[in-house]
Amino acid sequence: EPEVTQTPSHQVTQMGQEVILRCVPISNHLYFYWYRQILGQKVEFLVSFYNNEISEKSEIFDDQFSVERPDGSNFTLKIRSTKLEDSAMYFCASSEGWHTEAFFGQGTRLTVV
Amino acid sequence: EDKVVQSPLSLVVHEGDTVTLNCSYEVTNFRSLLWYKQEKKAPTFLFMLTSSGIEKKSGRLSSILDKKELFSILNITATQTGDSAVYLCAVEPTIQGAQKLVFGQGTRLTINP
């Protein structure tokens, strides 16, 4: 069964460092998303992406965040200068259509120390 | 502000019992409501509901939406230990434009043998 894959599964980084989280969406999906879940809190929307550009972003997705589809398969989330409060599980998701069900990856646990 | 509230937050039952999980929402626009099961990391898709009163069913799981009273329930009959998970309810609060799910805090379901 096709699935969204994310790497790495866990990343530890020092405050102020840049991190890139990687995702391979399901191959025939055209719409991509990043969500995050701080430990013990709700899953929160970060950004949606279609046709090589951001469609919508939340207030959380400020200038330190960026997304990119560098080739035909990968979708990345870059956090430029990490802060302690960026520690969370980051989920990539993809969907076939704009308003069809989104399928989530296993997540990358980011720990900023 | 769009809001999704799930109840109960936690539920412990014995194998074989039937459980009902609740999700209520307040959103400015409504397109769909989704249920996900989160066992360890990735939320896995269960149901997408868009119309009131039409039950969706998959094996022992079923769900229904009431757009007038702004809630949905997820029923699990003849529960098994493998049903133990956090069940997430999410609402898509957009008619047009990009999908961005608003999640509830989840119900942690524990099935004891």
Side-chain angles (χ1 to χ4, degrees):
Chain A
E1 188 175 324
E3 58 180 19
V4 176
T5 56
Q6 291 185 242
T7 54
S9 57
H10 190 190
Q11 177 142 9
V12 181
T13 189
Q14 287 203 319
M15 195 167 53
Q17 295 296 303
E18 175 182 287
V19 295
I20 298 176
L21 310 184
R22 292 185 163 78
C23 169
V24 178
I26 294 172
S27 62
N28 65 329
H29 287 187
L30 300 175
Y31 304 86
F32 314 121
Y33 316 90
W34 283 100
Y35 287 81
R36 79 171 185 190
Q37 187 175 30
I38 295 170
L39 190 63
Q41 296 187 25
K42 297 181 182 184
V43 176
E44 302 172 288
F45 170 79
L46 292 178
V47 66
S48 59
F49 190 88
Y50 168 70
N51 202 26
N52 279 320
E53 55 183 37
I54 290 173
S55 303
E56 186 145 4
K57 57 185 181 179
S58 71
E59 291 173 357
I60 303 167
F61 195 89
D62 60 23
D63 291 344
Q64 67 163 156
F65 291 92
S66 62
V67 289
E68 195 178 31
R69 188 152 163 83
D71 54 44
S73 59
N74 289 287
F75 179 51
T76 62
L77 173 69
K78 184 192 288 186
I79 310 175
R80 251 178 286 281
S81 177
T82 49
K83 303 176 222 170
L84 294 176
E85 55 264 38
D86 294 328
S87 294
M89 181 73 88
Y90 288 81
F91 291 109
C92 174
S94 68
S95 64
E96 198 173 356
W98 245 159
H99 301 291
T100 58
E101 58 270 26
F103 291 87
F104 284 74
Q106 292 288 318
T108 292
R109 179 164 295 287
L110 176 66
T111 303
V112 182
V113 297
Chain B
E1 184 187 334
D2 297 326
K3 194 161 69 168
V4 177
V5 177
Q6 293 184 243
S7 63
L9 294 181
S10 180
L11 185 58
V12 181
V13 300
H14 289 293
E15 205 167 18
D17 288 351
T18 292
V19 297
T20 298
L21 310 183
N22 304 293
C23 175
S24 63
Y25 59 90
E26 291 176 31
V27 297
T28 44
N29 293 297
F30 175 89
R31 184 172 185 92
S32 63
L33 185 145
L34 296 89
W35 284 97
Y36 288 86
K37 177 182 182 182
Q38 187 175 27
E39 288 181 84
K40 287 186 180 172
K41 291 186 178 177
T44 53
F45 172 75
L46 296 175
F47 298 111
M48 175 185 261
L49 304 154
T50 55
S51 301
S52 267
I54 298 174
E55 185 183 52
K56 291 225 172 172
K57 203 168 165 62
S58 176
R60 296 176 294 102
L61 277 67
S62 63
S63 184
I64 198 159
L65 173 66
D66 186 328
K67 287 166 75 172
K68 186 178 174 191
E69 300 298 328
L70 309 183
F71 78 90
S72 173
I73 60 172
L74 175 69
N75 277 322
I76 309 174
T77 59
T79 51
Q80 302 170 357
T81 53
D83 296 326
S84 295
V86 175
Y87 288 83
L88 300 174
C89 174
V91 170
E92 189 184 358
T94 50
I95 304 283
Q96 294 177 339
Q99 180 188 118
K100 52 173 183 177
L101 299 177
V102 177
F103 281 83
Q105 69 274 55
T107 293
R108 180 173 297 280
L109 176 64
T110 304
I111 311 295
N112 288 327

